[in-house]
């Protein structure tokens, strides 16, 4: 899995998009699953509002844990 931690090469919105795409969910599914208002994620992804760095880190952690749990189930 790619490392999505913020760095100077990527904007937070690009990292959010990559993180969402790594879940294989579209924006609507992602918002429902994480209980985030659709317009909030849409504004973040379009650069209209900034994604809080702490939120991005928490979201990344949660997605990683979910994916690890799924991998264990498959073994």
């Amino acid at each position: 899995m790619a490392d999505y931690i913020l760095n100077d090469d990527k904007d937070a919105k690009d990292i959010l998009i990559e993180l969402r795409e790594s879940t294989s969910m579209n924006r609507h599914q992602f918002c429902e699953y994480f209980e985030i208002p659709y317009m909030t994620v849409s504004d973040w992804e379009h650069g209209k509002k900034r994604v809080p760095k702490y939120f991005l880190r928490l979201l990344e952690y949660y997605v990683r844990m979910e994916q690890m749990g799924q991998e264990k189930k498959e073994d």
Side-chain angles (χ1 to χ4, degrees), residues 20-54:
R20 177 177 57 79
E21 289 174 348
S22 78
T23 66
S24 300
M25 293 183 203
N26 63 34
R27 192 178 300 142
H28 183 72
Q29 294 165 328
F30 187 82
C31 292
E32 281 187 7
Y33 185 82
F34 290 104
E35 298 181 15
I36 307 168
Y38 181 86
M39 287 307 297
T40 299
V41 173
S42 181
D43 286 347
W44 287 342
E45 288 188 0
H46 289 104
K48 294 178 183 176
K49 293 184 181 178
R50 297 180 119 198
V51 184
K53 290 181 182 182
Y54 75 89

Side-chain angles (χ1 to χ4, degrees), residues 4-22:
Y4 297 102
I5 296 298
L6 294 174
N7 60 46
D8 294 335
D9 298 334
K10 292 185 182 179
D11 289 333
K13 66 179 184 138
D14 296 327
I15 294 170
L16 177 65
I17 293 168
E18 288 179 22
L19 191 57
R20 177 177 57 79
E21 289 174 348
S22 78

